């Protein structure tokens, strides 16, 4: 049955199987060993030495090529290790088929029954319960005759919008058992995207056409790269400003004349029509909200974010639709309406201030001395980064300073914020786009959460020349800043030293992790060293195809 399962994955377009193996993999080991004799077309195995690495690499591979991915974990304990990464995939709407072996059902007398002491301790009453709240569907394969239907059902649900992970447990005896009946049925029809209600589009077009200061807020519209030129055309043609918030993708080129920057509060004060494109938190209700007389429209495949227990952001019109389907419909509707032809020029003059601030910051940081700051680190990366290089950011890379213009070249931290995502996700992007330069930008905390020894070992094993740049400041910035926001006049704010709850010192020499697996490790402490180090790192990943880590001591 293991062979039938693997064959079905490959038939349905799953090219890779990310694995962290255990005793439940015996039948898969045999299937891959038999491949030369069987001639079966099976998914390529991507071995990962930790479950967070496996699931986050699959996440990154989906970002890289847009194809559904598959992961197999080791029973209950592997599933437990993967929950944080599954959380990230769920909130990012990433379609991954998560499978895990199940501790053998039988104690004896069947092929695959329990043959090691661990098989008693690892069994759970409800293994899937650990992540049931995060996946769209969970099931257990009960018989080999069912394998084709079960795989098809899992993939269908994972790829139906809003997309997301699904979970399938595989008892060892079932994997070892025979398959009965035909296993060559035609593939099921792929689920179509959600198209908008024409009447709702017409209402939105009316609001946008008559507005004085219309604004689109987004952070995820560029998850489908086809949406980027569509949004750029809509904005420029009809004079609609676009502001990015919680940026996780390139949604509109940073040099677009109507790109309104990244500070939502600055535009909400003036906007009379606010259109939110598939963004879970378009503003922070405690600090900024749309004007009372503004029209607010929420759009997306799940515009209410129904899997979030609470979300009460205001809406006057809600449109359920795939963004890539909505934008052409909205463009067509606006083309039939009278729109002030001078609005685009007036808005462009009003919203371009952030580019001037960026230029001043780049100039100031380039000329400044002293320790390396995050702003200077961004300035240096912006100076050396090829325009088509992909940045996978988990901490310090600023979309505002980097100014990305090419769709699919920036991926930001998932909304769930489960640490340890960035480095393995960058590896997954590299796997999906082998000729692309991929740069992982991390803080020291996020890097340590990623199980760096496992990550660099996998880079060597799978020939993934990722450039990793770690901003090492030996503290949890989010922990300290959160305390100061809540208690600006409190004891922590007045303390002469960093809170012990936010400290990460002493900082290890992270470059050694890369060197231990055959990569290049660089350690930078001075501003003058940074650009040459990044240039050397880029030459190494591009010319030698070898992974590099640049450990940068930051203030």
């Amino acid at each position: 049955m293991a062979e039938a399962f693997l064959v079905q994955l490959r038939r349905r377009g799953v090219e890779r199987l990310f694995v962290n193996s255990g005793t439940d993999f015996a039948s898969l080991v045999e299937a891959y060993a038999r491949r030369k004799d069987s001639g079966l077309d099976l998914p390529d195995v991507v071995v990962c030495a930790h479950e967070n690495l496996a699931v986050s690499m699959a996440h990154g591979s989906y970002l890289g090529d847009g194809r559904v991915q598959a992961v197999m974990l080791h029973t209950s304990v592997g599933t437990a290790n993967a929950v944080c990464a599954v959380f990230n995939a769920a909130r990012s709407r990433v379609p991954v088929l998560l499978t895990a072996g199940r501790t053998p059902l039988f104690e004896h007398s069947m092929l695959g029954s329990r043959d090691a002491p661990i098989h008693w301790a690892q069994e759970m009453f409800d293994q899937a319960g650990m992540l049931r709240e995060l996946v769209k569907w969970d099931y257990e394969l009960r018989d080999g005759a069912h394998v084709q239907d079960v795989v098809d059902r899992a993939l269908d649900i994972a790829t139906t919008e809003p997309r997301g992970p699904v979970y399938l447990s595989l008892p060892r005896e079932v994997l070892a058992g025979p398959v009965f009946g035909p296993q060559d049925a035609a593939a099921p029809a792929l689920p179509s995207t959600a198209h908008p209600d024409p009447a709702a589009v017409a209402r939105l077009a009316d609001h946008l056409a008559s507005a004085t200061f219309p604004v689109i807020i987004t952070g995820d519209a560029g998850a489908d790269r086809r949406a980027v030129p569509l949004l750029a055309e809509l904005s420029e043609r009809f004079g609609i400003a676009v502001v990015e918030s919680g940026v996780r993708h390139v949604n509109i080129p940073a040099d677009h004349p109507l790109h309104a920057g990244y500070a939502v509060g600055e535009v909400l004060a003036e906007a009379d029509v606010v259109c939110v494109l598939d963004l879970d938190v378009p503003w922070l209700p405690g600090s900024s909200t749309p004007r009372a007389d503004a029209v607010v429209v929420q759009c997306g495949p799940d515009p209410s974010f129904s899997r979030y227990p609470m979300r009460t952001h205001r809406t006057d019109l809600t449109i359920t639709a795939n963004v890539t389907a909505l934008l052409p419909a909205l463009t067509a509707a606006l083309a039939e309406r009278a729109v002030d032809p001078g609005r685009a020029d007036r808005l462009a003059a009003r919203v371009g201030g952030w580019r001037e601030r960026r230029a001043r910051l780049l100039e100031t940081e380039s000329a400044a001395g002293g320790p390396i700051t995050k702003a200077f680190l961004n300035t240096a990366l912006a100076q050396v980064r090829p325009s088509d290089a992909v940045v996978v950011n988990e901490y310090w890379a600023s979309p505002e300073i980097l100014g990305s213009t090419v769709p699919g070249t920036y991926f930001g931290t998932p909304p769930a914020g489960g640490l340890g995502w960035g480095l393995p996700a960058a590896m997954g992007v590299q796997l999906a786009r082998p000729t692309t330069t991929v740069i992982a930008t991390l803080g020291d905390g996020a890097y340590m959460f990623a199980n760096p020894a496992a990550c660099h070992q996998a880079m060597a094993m799978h020939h993934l020349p990722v450039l990793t740049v770690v901003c090492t400041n030996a503290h949890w910035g989010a922990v300290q800043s959160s305390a100061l926001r809540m208690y600006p006049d409190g004891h922590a704010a007045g303390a002469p030293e960093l809170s012990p709850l936010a400290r990460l010192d002493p900082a290890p020499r992270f470059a050694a992790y890369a060197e231990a697996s055959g990569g290049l490790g660089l350690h930078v402490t001075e501003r003058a060293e940074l650009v040459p180090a990044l240039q050397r790192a880029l030459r190494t990943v591009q010319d030698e195809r070898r992974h590099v880590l640049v450990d940068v001591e930051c203030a």
Side-chain angles (χ1 to χ4, degrees):
M1 206 288 293
E3 288 182 333
F5 169 70
L6 294 167
V7 166
Q8 190 65 11
L9 288 178
R10 194 67 188 86
R11 282 177 179 163
R12 298 306 184 240
V14 177
E15 297 182 351
R16 311 176 190 96
L17 180 63
F18 298 85
V19 302
N20 190 341
S21 309
T23 58
D24 46 336
F25 280 66
S27 296
L28 274 73
V29 171
E30 185 68 10
Y32 278 100
R34 264 178 32 90
R35 185 160 50 167
K36 287 183 180 179
D37 296 330
S38 67
L40 296 175
D41 187 15
L42 310 180
D44 295 333
V45 170
V46 182
V47 176
C48 304
H50 194 278
E51 291 81 2
N52 181 74
L53 170 59
V55 178
S56 298
M57 271 191 78
H59 186 149
S61 289
Y62 172 74
L63 296 178
D65 62 20
R67 298 178 180 178
V68 65
Q69 308 292 321
V71 179
M72 186 160 174
L73 310 167
H74 172 41
T75 65
S76 54
V77 290
T79 300
N81 261 353
V83 170
C84 183
V86 177
F87 206 156
N88 284 331
R91 293 300 193 238
S92 301
R93 299 173 180 167
V94 171
V96 178
L97 170 54
L98 301 160
T99 65
R102 186 205 185 282
T103 300
L105 300 164
F106 295 90
E107 295 188 341
H108 55 80
S109 304
M110 286 191 67
L111 180 62
S113 59
R114 301 181 185 187
D115 59 8
I118 201 170
H119 291 152
W120 278 263
Q122 284 186 342
E123 186 175 26
M124 297 179 69
F125 290 106
D126 185 10
Q127 179 174 306
M130 287 186 284
L131 41 65
R132 183 163 295 128
E133 186 174 341
L134 303 174
V135 298
K136 294 180 66 180
W137 172 93
D138 71 89
Y139 198 68
E140 182 169 289
L141 185 63
R142 282 116 190 214
D143 189 88
H146 211 199
V147 61
Q148 180 172 291
D149 293 336
V150 169
V151 169
D152 286 352
R153 176 68 171 162
L155 295 176
D156 180 71
I157 292 176
T159 54
T160 297
E161 293 185 334
R163 294 181 165 192
V166 294
Y167 183 75
L168 176 64
S169 55
L170 303 168
R172 197 166 77 148
E173 298 95 329
V174 177
L175 280 177
V179 176
F180 301 100
Q183 297 293 323
D184 57 356
L190 294 175
S192 64
T193 59
H195 279 67
D197 174 13
V201 173
R203 287 179 60 192
L204 175 56
D206 288 339
H207 291 308
L208 291 172
S210 60
T212 301
F213 196 132
V215 170
I216 289 174
I217 304 175
T218 190
D220 272 334
D224 184 339
R225 280 175 271 169
R226 296 173 299 174
V228 178
L230 297 174
L231 180 57
E233 178 193 1
L234 177 78
S235 171
E236 188 166 12
R237 182 175 174 184
F238 301 108
I240 304 170
V242 178
V243 61
E244 293 186 276
S245 178
V247 185
R248 294 182 280 271
H249 301 273
V250 176
N251 302 292
I252 188 169
D255 58 1
H256 190 282
L258 284 173
H259 193 304
Y262 305 84
V264 171
E266 292 181 3
V267 296
L268 284 182
E270 298 187 65
D272 54 350
V273 175
V274 178
C275 178
V276 178
L277 280 186
D278 197 20
L279 183 58
D280 55 349
V281 186
W283 58 82
L284 294 175
S287 58
S288 62
T289 57
R291 288 170 18 185
D293 62 343
V295 175
V296 179
V297 184
Q298 303 267 357
C299 308
D302 180 16
S304 298
F305 289 85
S306 56
R307 300 302 296 267
Y308 287 30
M310 283 298 297
R311 180 187 184 271
T312 58
H313 291 74
R314 176 183 148 203
T315 181
D316 303 307
L317 172 64
T318 301
I319 301 177
T320 301
N322 173 282
V323 171
T324 309
L326 172 64
L327 290 171
L330 184 56
T331 298
L334 281 167
E336 298 174 350
R337 287 158 173 77
V339 178
D340 180 358
R343 187 171 70 182
D345 290 340
R346 288 199 304 274
L347 286 183
R350 294 172 68 184
V351 303
W354 74 271
R355 275 184 288 271
E356 297 175 6
R357 292 196 299 271
R358 174 180 183 266
R360 288 196 298 270
L361 177 63
L362 291 173
E363 182 179 356
T364 300
E365 285 294 332
S366 297
I372 298 173
T373 62
K374 289 194 290 291
F376 182 76
L377 187 50
N378 276 279
T379 299
L381 181 59
Q383 180 179 332
V384 303
R385 173 197 179 192
S387 62
D388 60 348
V390 174
V391 171
V392 180
N393 177 46
E394 192 175 18
Y395 179 48
W396 60 265
S398 165
E400 182 170 0
I401 299 177
L402 293 181
S404 301
T405 60
V406 180
T409 58
Y410 177 88
F411 300 111
T413 305
L419 283 181
W421 167 86
L423 184 53
M427 296 163 60
V429 173
Q430 186 74 79
L431 190 67
R433 302 187 199 173
T435 62
T436 299
T437 299
V438 179
I439 305 169
T441 55
L442 314 169
D444 43 4
Y447 180 68
M448 287 191 282
F449 257 77
N451 299 286
C455 287
H456 288 288
Q457 186 270 343
M459 289 184 209
M461 175 185 286
H462 303 298
H463 310 291
L464 302 174
V466 173
L467 167 54
T468 306
V469 185
V470 179
C471 174
T472 301
N473 55 16
H475 72 270
W476 295 110
V479 173
Q480 187 74 5
S481 62
S482 175
L484 298 184
R485 285 197 306 272
M486 285 186 65
Y487 304 102
D489 301 317
H491 292 280
E497 296 182 353
L498 190 70
S499 165
L501 279 72
R503 292 179 58 173
L504 282 174
D505 55 331
R509 286 290 178 257
F510 294 126
Y513 280 111
E515 294 168 353
S517 289
L520 173 63
L522 302 174
H523 183 216
V524 177
T525 60
E526 303 293 336
R527 284 185 173 232
E529 301 170 346
L530 183 55
V531 168
L534 292 175
Q535 290 171 331
R536 180 185 175 190
L538 284 168
R539 289 194 300 270
T540 301
V541 300
Q542 292 169 345
D543 299 340
E544 300 179 26
R545 308 298 295 168
R546 189 159 62 111
H547 63 277
V548 180
L549 182 133
V550 183
D551 177 10
V552 184
E553 290 191 17
C554 296

Coordinates of all heavy atoms in Angstrom, one line a residue, residues 56 82 91 103 128 136 148 159 168 172-173 181 188 190 198 227 238 241 246 325 335 349 403 430 436 483 510 512 551:
S56 N 8.3 23.7 7.2 CA 8.6 25.1 6.8 C 9.3 25.1 5.4 O 9.1 26.0 4.6 CB 9.5 25.8 7.8 OG 8.8 25.9 9.1
A82 N 6.0 19.5 14.9 CA 5.6 20.2 13.7 C 4.5 21.2 13.9 O 4.2 22.0 13.0 CB 5.2 19.2 12.6
R91 N -2.2 29.8 8.9 CA -2.6 31.2 8.8 C -2.1 31.9 7.5 O -2.6 32.9 7.1 CB -2.0 31.9 10.0 CG -2.6 31.6 11.4 CD -4.1 31.9 11.4 NE -4.6 31.8 12.8 CZ -5.6 31.0 13.2 NH1 -6.1 30.2 12.3 NH2 -6.0 31.0 14.4
T103 N 1.3 5.0 15.3 CA 1.8 3.8 16.0 C 1.0 2.6 15.7 O -0.2 2.6 15.5 CB 1.7 4.1 17.5 OG1 2.4 5.2 17.9 CG2 2.2 2.9 18.3
A128 N -4.4 13.2 15.9 CA -4.7 14.4 15.1 C -5.2 15.6 15.9 O -5.2 16.7 15.4 CB -5.7 14.0 14.0
K136 N -7.5 22.0 7.7 CA -8.9 22.0 7.2 C -9.6 20.7 7.3 O -10.8 20.6 7.2 CB -8.8 22.5 5.7 CG -8.3 23.9 5.5 CD -8.3 24.2 4.0 CE -9.6 24.3 3.4 NZ -9.6 24.6 1.9
Q148 N -6.4 5.8 -3.0 CA -6.6 6.8 -4.1 C -7.6 7.8 -3.7 O -7.4 9.0 -3.9 CB -6.9 6.1 -5.4 CG -7.1 7.0 -6.6 CD -7.3 6.3 -7.9 OE1 -6.3 5.6 -8.3 NE2 -8.4 6.3 -8.4
T159 N -6.4 22.4 -1.6 CA -6.3 23.4 -2.7 C -7.6 24.2 -2.9 O -7.6 25.1 -3.8 CB -5.8 22.8 -4.0 OG1 -6.7 21.7 -4.3 CG2 -4.4 22.2 -3.8
L168 N -3.3 13.6 7.4 CA -3.7 12.2 7.2 C -2.7 11.3 8.0 O -1.5 11.4 7.8 CB -3.6 11.9 5.7 CG -3.8 10.4 5.3 CD1 -5.3 10.0 5.6 CD2 -3.5 10.2 3.8
R172 N 0.9 1.8 10.5 CA 1.9 1.0 9.9 C 1.4 -0.2 9.2 O 1.9 -0.6 8.2 CB 3.0 0.7 10.9 CG 4.3 0.3 10.3 CD 5.5 0.3 11.3 NE 5.5 -0.9 12.1 CZ 6.6 -1.4 12.6 NH1 7.8 -0.9 12.3 NH2 6.5 -2.5 13.4
E173 N 0.5 -0.9 9.8 CA -0.1 -2.1 9.2 C -0.8 -1.8 7.9 O -0.7 -2.6 7.0 CB -1.1 -2.8 10.2 CG -0.5 -3.3 11.5 CD -0.7 -2.2 12.6 OE1 -0.7 -1.0 12.3 OE2 -0.8 -2.6 13.8
G181 N -8.3 -3.7 -6.0 CA -9.0 -2.8 -6.9 C -8.2 -1.9 -7.8 O -7.0 -1.8 -7.6
P188 N -9.4 14.0 -10.3 CA -10.6 14.9 -10.1 C -10.3 16.3 -10.7 O -9.2 16.7 -10.8 CB -10.8 14.9 -8.6 CG -9.4 14.6 -8.1 CD -8.7 13.7 -9.1
L190 N -9.8 20.1 -10.8 CA -9.2 21.1 -9.8 C -10.3 22.1 -9.4 O -11.1 22.5 -10.2 CB -8.1 21.8 -10.4 CG -6.8 20.9 -10.8 CD1 -5.8 21.7 -11.5 CD2 -6.3 20.3 -9.5
P198 N -21.1 40.1 -9.2 CA -21.0 41.3 -10.0 C -21.7 42.5 -9.4 O -21.3 43.7 -9.5 CB -21.8 40.9 -11.3 CG -21.6 39.4 -11.4 CD -21.6 39.0 -9.9
A227 N -1.4 38.8 -9.5 CA -2.2 39.9 -9.0 C -1.4 41.2 -9.0 O -2.0 42.3 -9.1 CB -2.7 39.6 -7.6
F238 N -6.9 54.3 -12.6 CA -8.0 55.0 -12.0 C -7.7 55.9 -10.8 O -8.6 56.3 -10.1 CB -9.1 53.9 -11.6 CG -9.5 53.1 -12.8 CD1 -9.1 51.8 -12.9 CD2 -10.3 53.6 -13.8 CE1 -9.6 51.0 -14.0 CE2 -10.8 52.9 -14.9 CZ -10.4 51.6 -15.0
A241 N -4.7 55.0 -4.5 CA -3.5 54.8 -3.7 C -3.5 53.4 -3.1 O -4.5 52.9 -2.8 CB -3.4 55.9 -2.7
G246 N 1.7 45.0 7.1 CA 2.0 43.6 7.4 C 2.5 42.8 6.2 O 2.0 41.7 5.9
A325 N -9.1 37.1 -9.3 CA -10.3 37.2 -10.1 C -11.0 38.5 -9.8 O -11.7 39.1 -10.8 CB -11.3 36.1 -9.6
A335 N -13.9 51.0 -15.7 CA -13.8 51.5 -17.0 C -15.1 52.0 -17.6 O -15.2 52.8 -18.5 CB -13.3 50.4 -17.9
A349 N 1.2 63.0 -6.0 CA 1.9 64.1 -5.4 C 1.8 64.0 -3.8 O 2.7 64.4 -3.1 CB 1.4 65.4 -5.9
G403 N 12.7 48.1 -1.0 CA 12.0 48.6 -2.2 C 11.9 47.6 -3.3 O 12.2 47.9 -4.5
Q430 N 14.5 28.0 -2.4 CA 15.7 27.7 -3.2 C 15.5 26.3 -3.9 O 15.9 26.2 -5.0 CB 16.9 27.6 -2.3 CG 18.2 27.4 -3.0 CD 18.7 28.6 -3.7 OE1 19.3 29.5 -3.1 NE2 18.5 28.7 -5.0
T436 N 17.7 30.7 -8.7 CA 17.5 32.0 -8.1 C 18.4 32.2 -6.9 O 18.6 31.3 -6.1 CB 16.0 32.2 -7.7 OG1 15.2 32.0 -8.9 CG2 15.7 33.5 -7.0
A483 N 6.8 45.2 26.2 CA 6.7 45.7 27.5 C 6.7 47.2 27.6 O 5.9 47.8 28.4 CB 7.8 45.1 28.4
F510 N 27.6 32.2 15.2 CA 26.7 31.5 14.4 C 27.4 31.0 13.1 O 27.0 30.0 12.5 CB 25.5 32.4 14.0 CG 24.7 32.7 15.2 CD1 24.4 34.0 15.5 CD2 24.1 31.7 16.0 CE1 23.5 34.3 16.6 CE2 23.3 32.0 17.0 CZ 23.0 33.3 17.3
A512 N 29.9 29.3 12.7 CA 30.4 28.0 12.8 C 29.3 26.9 12.4 O 29.7 25.8 11.9 CB 30.8 27.7 14.2
D551 N 27.1 36.5 9.9 CA 26.7 36.9 11.3 C 27.1 38.3 11.5 O 28.3 38.6 11.6 CB 27.4 35.9 12.2 CG 27.1 36.2 13.7 OD1 26.2 37.0 14.0 OD2 27.8 35.6 14.5

